[in-house]
Amino acid sequence: MIRCTRYLMPTTKETPSDAEVVSHRLMLRAGLIRKVASGIYTYLPAGLRVLRKVERILREEMDRAGAQEVLMPAVVPSELWRESGRWDAYGKELLRFRDRADREFCLGPTHEEVITDLVRREVRSWRQLPLNLYQIQDKFRDEIRPRFGLMRGREFFMKDAYSFDADDESAAESYRKMYDAYCRVFRRMGLDFRAVEADTGNIGGSSSHEFMVIADSGEDAIVSCVSCSYGANVEKAECTPQAGAAAAAPGAGPARKVATPGKRTIGEVSEFLGIDPASLIKTLLFETSAGDVAVLVSGVFDVNEVKVKNHLGADWIRLAGEDRVRELSGAPSGFAGPVGLPVRTIADHSVQAIAAGATGANERDAHLVDVVPGRDFAPEAYADLRTVSGKDPCPRCGAALRFSRGIEVGHVFRLGTRYSEAMRAVYLDPEGKERVAVMGCYGIGVGRTAAAAIEQNHDGDGIVWPISIAPFEVSVIPVNVKNRDVVGAAESVGTALTDRGLEVLLDDREERPGIKFKDADLAGIPVRVTLGEKNVAAGFGEVRDRKTGETLRVELSMLAAETVALVERKKAECAP
Ligand code: ATP
Ligand code: MG
């Protein structure tokens, strides 16, 4: 049992001005963290208790999935990073420095290199595989914009795991095990989350899922199916080509030029011409590392730059500026169109579905109508190049998609042989042949997960911790510490609860009851036991559920038992 008078948990009423999101504000106000420098924090006792609980769940689930805990150093020699090619490729997030002998090091932002070095030295034979090693360790990333407290820090704890397998099939199994373990982890923390398909970016890799805690303040936009388990980052979500694409419009006459003075936007043009925006062919011009490209999409959709970039296999793309648009199309922006455009052109599937449409005429104040895709212009390819919209069905099952915002708390990634090849992590197969190990990596941010839990679980009075990661399970509040009966009752219920294995914070401060209640609510302790003067005199105490506010008046002899029962019910809400 911990006593408030002997505990450093400095709560504050004021809302810190630089804290933009609620989890950051509440972690400061509840006395869980204090800032030392931008993105760098000290964890106070109660804050550390939360992180340790998150870590305990992580350890239990990693161990259960067959991973083994190791601990790698924060300080990593540059040689390893040069071997993987990342010393130069990784940007300024990598904090580099030199030791007294002028040798170069970095603070590890992630540990693929260190683990691959270990495994290439220690693993010789297929008999030693599969192998999954994890750690919970201090990472450093010199983030360009550290913010939101523990959500995006520079120094932070991460659980990172790395799997090594003999072949792709076995690697897929390791991936699946980690995926399942992650689901158990976040369920045990009582979080509402989705695993969404993520862009594998430049690493390539065969698959990647991000685990998103659903919260309005989340930095990521995601879609998830209301019916099946499909979920994806909006950037990545697949769009199903609409049915009914007609090769040519029956009865559509030849394309005609019409005057559209000053009408540039989809809304202006469709209104002026009396044409459904869905049959306007929007033409966007991009400059890319693969040259200039025109991208066509139906007027009701948006071009997805990530998809365009991936389709082209380009390193970078950017929308052409006004001057470049004039050079390429011969007209000011708003009047570009694919007919006669001397630029490489690709089109979204939605353009294929347009029987006869309207588009810019590559001439100021003019558009073309009765334009038939395939007849009047032929894009190099039709592909999925647009961003998913509210009208799109689930690409897996056809049911509706729900849009929400999420906080990325975990990431599972099939790496393939990206690192094992570069660093020669090889083993001998049963025939004695040398083979490259197939890898996966799996990360969960400890502090970010705690912050995400607050984003999802709070109210006007403070944090509402899921009990599995709360700093304490029960707060015991004697309303008047000068009343010996009240204090005696509080001590005895506190001791009884502690004896039964519960984590109790006894508020023995000489404060007004209102202040104690407020602090207990702010700290988000799931169950509160209150010993009031009148109640104790009558042989009673109260048990209150922080989340629902429900309060039970219970005989003192039953107080501990009722409290344990409520704690057990709350624990059941965090079943894996
Ligand atoms: P983000 O896109 O948010 O920067 P990331 O893709 O860089 O995340 P990973 O490299 O996959 O993240 O790291 C694994 C996990 O580590 C993330 O899912 C997240 O929980 C945590 N994490 C990453 N960066 C930070 C940070 N700056 N502060 C706190 N936690 C972080
Ligand atoms: Mg990052």
Side-chain angles (χ1 to χ4, degrees), residues 141 143 150-153 156 158 408-411 443 445 448:
R141 296 182 180 183
E143 298 271 356
L150 301 192
M151 199 79 87
R152 186 172 295 285
F156 59 96
M158 194 201 289
E408 183 207 318
V409 287
H411 197 175
R448 186 183 287 184

Side-chain angles (χ1 to χ4, degrees), residues 39 90 93 109-110 112 139-143 145-147 149-160 182 186 210-211 219-220 407-413 441-449:
Y90 218 92
E93 269 187 30
T110 174
E112 282 80 6
K139 296 278 182 284
F140 194 93
R141 296 182 180 183
D142 202 355
E143 298 271 356
R145 246 194 102 195
R147 58 192 169 141
L150 301 192
M151 199 79 87
R152 186 172 295 285
R154 293 199 292 167
E155 182 177 344
F156 59 96
F157 292 118
M158 194 201 289
K159 186 289 299 169
D160 43 331
Y182 274 35
F186 296 121
E210 287 169 350
F211 285 76
E219 289 183 309
D220 294 277
I407 300 165
E408 183 207 318
V409 287
H411 197 175
V412 291
F413 210 106
C441 68
Y442 318 91
I444 291 182
V446 176
R448 186 183 287 184
T449 300

Side-chain angles (χ1 to χ4, degrees), residues 270-403:
S270 68
E271 199 190 312
F272 184 75
L273 296 177
I275 287 179
D276 178 2
S279 53
L280 283 187
I281 301 166
K282 188 151 77 177
T283 307
L284 295 184
L285 294 164
F286 288 93
E287 298 177 283
T288 84
S289 59
D292 299 318
V293 179
V295 182
L296 313 180
V297 66
S298 156
V300 287
F301 296 123
D302 293 315
V303 168
N304 180 319
E305 293 193 17
V306 175
K307 288 182 180 177
V308 172
K309 180 168 168 272
N310 289 345
H311 176 84
L312 297 171
D315 292 331
W316 56 267
I317 86 169
R318 64 166 171 262
L319 208 52
E322 181 69 37
D323 291 345
R324 191 76 189 129
V325 168
R326 265 175 217 270
E327 282 167 30
L328 293 172
S329 73
S333 68
F335 299 101
V339 181
L341 186 70
V343 178
R344 177 181 178 192
T345 302
I346 54 177
D348 179 67
H349 291 301
S350 59
V351 173
Q352 223 168 352
I354 297 173
T359 185
N362 299 323
E363 197 176 291
R364 177 188 286 275
D365 294 342
H367 278 75
L368 297 177
V369 295
D370 283 339
V371 173
V372 178
R375 184 191 73 183
D376 298 320
F377 67 93
E380 166 191 304
Y382 285 104
D384 176 10
L385 300 175
R386 66 181 175 87
T387 300
V388 70
S389 80
K391 292 192 199 84
D392 279 297
C394 169
R396 298 283 177 275
C397 77
L401 289 176
R402 182 191 298 130
F403 281 68

Side-chain angles (χ1 to χ4, degrees), residues 349-489:
H349 291 301
S350 59
V351 173
Q352 223 168 352
I354 297 173
T359 185
N362 299 323
E363 197 176 291
R364 177 188 286 275
D365 294 342
H367 278 75
L368 297 177
V369 295
D370 283 339
V371 173
V372 178
R375 184 191 73 183
D376 298 320
F377 67 93
E380 166 191 304
Y382 285 104
D384 176 10
L385 300 175
R386 66 181 175 87
T387 300
V388 70
S389 80
K391 292 192 199 84
D392 279 297
C394 169
R396 298 283 177 275
C397 77
L401 289 176
R402 182 191 298 130
F403 281 68
S404 34
R405 298 202 70 82
I407 300 165
E408 183 207 318
V409 287
H411 197 175
V412 291
F413 210 106
R414 285 179 69 181
L415 286 172
T417 55
R418 157 84 176 79
Y419 295 92
S420 45
E421 220 155 74
M423 298 182 66
R424 300 300 301 156
V426 295
Y427 69 93
L428 296 178
D429 75 5
E431 278 79 50
K433 242 182 82 193
E434 203 168 77
R435 290 183 184 280
V436 180
V438 184
M439 290 174 62
C441 68
Y442 318 91
I444 291 182
V446 176
R448 186 183 287 184
T449 300
I454 297 178
E455 291 295 328
Q456 201 170 71
N457 299 280
H458 66 271
D459 61 18
D461 297 321
I463 305 169
V464 186
W465 286 115
I467 199 160
S468 56
I469 55 173
F472 298 94
E473 291 165 327
V474 182
S475 68
V476 174
I477 300 188
V479 297
N480 179 357
V481 292
K482 298 217 173 93
N483 179 323
R484 292 178 60 177
D485 293 340
V486 165
V487 170

